[in-house]
Amino acid sequence: MKSIAALQAVVTATSFDGEPSDGELDAIEEEMPLILAEIDLLDVEIWMLDRPATALDERRVRRARNRVLDERRNLTNRAGLAQSGGAA
């Protein structure tokens, strides 16, 4: 029977401090408009759970969904520009 105790040092050799790296923080910052738009959409959907939808409520949901789609498009376009080197 093999012992795996010797392998454990390799697995835990790098210490993880639990904090995101600078690159991860930059990625979060870049995605923040989309995250906020999704939070707004979720807020509207939660707000409408226990009440009948009016025309104004439907517009709020539609506006929130469109904002999420716009932010997704913008994020995708920025990622595409970054990959192509910024040339259009």
Side-chain angles (χ1 to χ4, degrees):
M1 180 152 90
K2 286 185 172 182
S3 173
I4 61 169
L7 298 177
Q8 188 172 3
V10 175
V11 173
T12 59
T14 58
S15 63
F16 178 67
D17 62 358
E19 296 294 323
S21 68
D22 289 338
E24 291 169 332
L25 289 174
D26 290 341
I28 292 169
E29 177 109 13
E30 186 174 334
E31 293 177 8
M32 190 54 69
L34 175 59
I35 293 168
L36 293 175
E38 289 174 339
I39 290 171
D40 289 343
L41 175 59
L42 186 61
D43 285 343
V44 170
E45 289 173 341
I46 290 171
W47 183 69
M48 290 185 50
L49 282 176
D50 61 345
R51 53 181 298 182
T54 64
L56 181 61
D57 295 334
E58 291 172 4
R59 268 190 270 159
R60 285 182 182 142
V61 171
R62 188 172 52 248
R63 193 176 306 125
R65 285 183 182 150
N66 287 338
R67 183 171 167 226
V68 168
L69 292 174
D70 288 343
E71 292 301 334
R72 284 183 183 168
R73 184 194 63 230
N74 293 339
L75 184 63
T76 303
N77 288 342
R78 284 192 303 265
L81 286 175
Q83 287 180 349
S84 68

